[in-house]
C-alpha cells in the first residue's frame, strides 16, 4: 500500500455540504458506503471528528473530503499529511 501526501485546503470553513447532506462527514460516509470512525491521516489514531477539505500535494486546487480529527483539521494549511488515496472522496 502506498501513501500520498495531502494538505488541508485553504478557505473552506464556511463551505456548506451539498444539498441533502447534514455535514461533510455525512457526505463522505454516504459516498463511501461506510462509517468513519478514525481520522484517516497516517499515522493518527484520533477520532473522525469532521469531513476535512484536503488537496493532493502537487495536484493544484482539486478538492477532496477525508475524515479528520480536530487536531489534524486545525493544523496550518502548509502541513503535509500522509493518507491512502482510496480514502479520498472527490468534491464535484
Ligand atoms: Zn488526526
Amino acid at each position: 500500500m502506498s501513501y500520498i501526501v495531502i494538505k488541508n485546503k485553504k478557505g473552506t470553513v464556511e463551505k456548506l455540504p451539498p444539498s441533502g447532506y447534514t455535514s461533510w462527514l455525512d457526505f463522505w460516509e454516504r459516498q463511501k458506503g461506510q462509517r468513519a470512525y478514525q481520522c484517516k491521516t497516517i499515522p493518527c489514531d484520533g477520532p473522525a471528528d469532521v469531513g476535512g477539505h484536503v488537496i493532493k500535494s502537487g495536484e493544484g486546487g482539486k478538492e477532496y473530503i477525508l475524515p479528520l480529527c480536530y487536531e489534524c483539521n486545525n493544523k496550518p494549511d502548509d502541513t503535509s499529511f500522509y493518507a491512502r488515496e482510496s480514502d479520498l472522496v472527490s468534491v464535484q
Side-chain angles (χ1 to χ4, degrees):
M1 175 81 66
S2 62
Y3 301 140
I4 58 167
V5 177
I6 59 161
K7 298 180 179 187
N8 282 320
K9 185 171 168 68
K10 294 179 171 67
T12 57
V13 173
E14 308 279 316
K15 264 190 106 167
L16 295 172
S19 176
Y21 295 95
T22 58
S23 67
W24 284 107
L25 195 58
D26 179 49
F27 176 82
W28 187 92
E29 289 183 330
R30 287 163 60 190
Q31 293 289 316
K32 295 293 283 183
Q34 61 183 258
R35 294 293 309 274
Y37 296 105
Q38 276 206 320
C39 177
K40 296 287 194 180
T41 66
I42 298 162
C44 180
D45 57 5
D49 291 317
V50 297
H53 298 255
V54 302
I55 55 173
K56 291 184 196 174
S57 184
E59 197 186 63
K62 188 165 162 41
E63 184 176 331
Y64 301 87
I65 301 300
L66 186 70
L68 297 178
C69 67
Y70 289 126
E71 190 178 334
C72 287
N73 193 49
N74 289 331
K75 286 192 174 153
D77 296 331
D78 59 355
T79 304
S80 293
F81 298 98
Y82 290 104
R84 292 180 183 84
E85 183 151 26
S86 59
D87 285 333
L88 299 178
V89 170
S90 174
V91 178
Q92 286 78 22

